[in-house]
Amino acid sequence: MSLRLGDLAPNFKAKTSQGEISFYDYLGDSWAVLFSHPADYTPVCTTELGKTASLKNEFDKRNVKVLALSVDSVESHKGWINDINETQNVEVNFPIIADENREIAEMYGMMHPNASETFTVRSLFIIDPDKKIKLMITYPASTGRNFQEILRVIDSLQLTANYSVATPADWKEGEDVVVVPAIKTEDIPAKFPKGHRVIKPYLRMTPQPNK
């Protein structure tokens, strides 16, 4: 069965470039980004994993643990990490899962046979501390991910998990947000004392509440 938003992320045990892990235990009370790569020693993936390593501080301050996955072996991963570190001027600081039998890839729907029979597509899952899937993005093998968008989405998910707001198109941290329709307009001042604007009865804006 295919996974959907709000589903419990499947738990698994796996060998990784940093030793064996049990997924839930590894996450603890953190958020997670779990993302797959078609294969080791591929050019676009090399740039992606380098970019991920360079953003360690950004993920850390959002309480996010990152895990990559490829269908190659741990030994292959370790050799590839040397290349990533050398060419991207980073130190890869997160586990790369060795999913040689493709069990995790199948569990998470990362295999798209019409795209490739043997390689995972570029799937990305954001998972909250309750182990629920909050976002899924799938890119083709030819297109590298936009990691600023991934950070932006994490900011939105963490904000909207704690306040009765939604984030509008192109929203970035610090900008005004939408008051959710469930809040009556007359109740907004008590919940959002920074002020609000009524553009339409269904479109009410307020400054970001946790800033």
Side-chain angles (χ1 to χ4, degrees):
M1 232 168 98
S2 60
L3 294 171
R4 296 188 173 102
L5 297 184
D7 286 355
L8 202 60
N11 196 12
F12 56 82
K13 289 190 168 128
K15 294 178 180 176
T16 82
S17 57
Q18 296 186 356
E20 290 199 27
I21 65 163
S22 173
F23 185 48
Y24 281 9
D25 291 343
Y26 177 78
L27 292 186
D29 61 357
S30 298
W31 288 68
V33 170
L34 172 65
F35 61 131
S36 59
H37 297 271
D40 291 358
Y41 298 103
T42 48
V44 176
C45 303
T46 299
T47 65
E48 288 189 327
L49 294 188
K51 175 57 73 172
T52 302
S54 74
L55 291 171
K56 175 174 170 50
N57 290 340
E58 295 297 323
F59 287 116
D60 284 350
K61 75 183 187 186
R62 292 167 172 83
N63 188 31
V64 175
K65 289 184 177 176
V66 176
L67 302 94
L69 177 146
S70 168
V71 297
D72 294 305
S73 69
V74 168
E75 285 311 307
S76 174
H77 289 352
K78 287 180 176 176
W80 184 31
I81 286 169
N82 290 334
D83 281 6
I84 297 165
N85 291 344
E86 177 194 341
T87 62
Q88 307 302 303
N89 197 28
V90 295
E91 290 289 331
V92 169
N93 39 38
F94 52 86
I96 305 178
I97 295 164
D99 189 29
E100 292 180 271
N101 57 14
R102 298 173 174 76
E103 273 183 20
I104 301 165
E106 294 286 359
M107 199 185 295
Y108 275 82
M110 296 169 171
M111 305 298 297
H112 290 208
N114 289 332
S116 169
E117 291 282 353
T118 55
F119 298 128
T120 54
V121 290
R122 291 184 203 287
S123 297
L124 183 142
F125 298 84
I126 296 177
I127 298 162
D128 74 7
D130 293 329
K131 313 301 184 286
K132 297 281 181 67
I133 295 172
K134 305 303 287 186
L135 177 126
M136 300 184 290
I137 314 176
T138 300
Y139 293 79
S142 57
T143 301
R145 287 171 261 239
N146 181 333
F147 283 84
Q148 293 308 310
E149 168 64 4
I150 292 162
L151 292 173
R152 188 190 77 89
V153 168
I154 292 167
D155 287 340
S156 172
L157 289 169
Q158 293 182 343
L159 173 68
T160 58
N162 292 311
Y163 297 91
S164 299
V165 296
T167 54
D170 294 337
W171 174 86
K172 293 189 289 296
E173 179 78 6
E175 295 180 349
D176 286 0
V177 294
V178 174
V179 179
V180 297
I183 305 296
K184 294 178 180 174
T185 298
E186 58 266 31
D187 295 335
I188 292 176
K191 285 188 78 73
F192 301 104
K194 292 182 181 179
H196 69 281
R197 291 178 291 123
V198 178
I199 300 167
K200 291 285 184 182
Y202 59 86
L203 177 56
R204 293 87 46 88
M205 306 297 293
T206 189
Q208 183 174 329
N210 62 346
K211 281 292 178 186

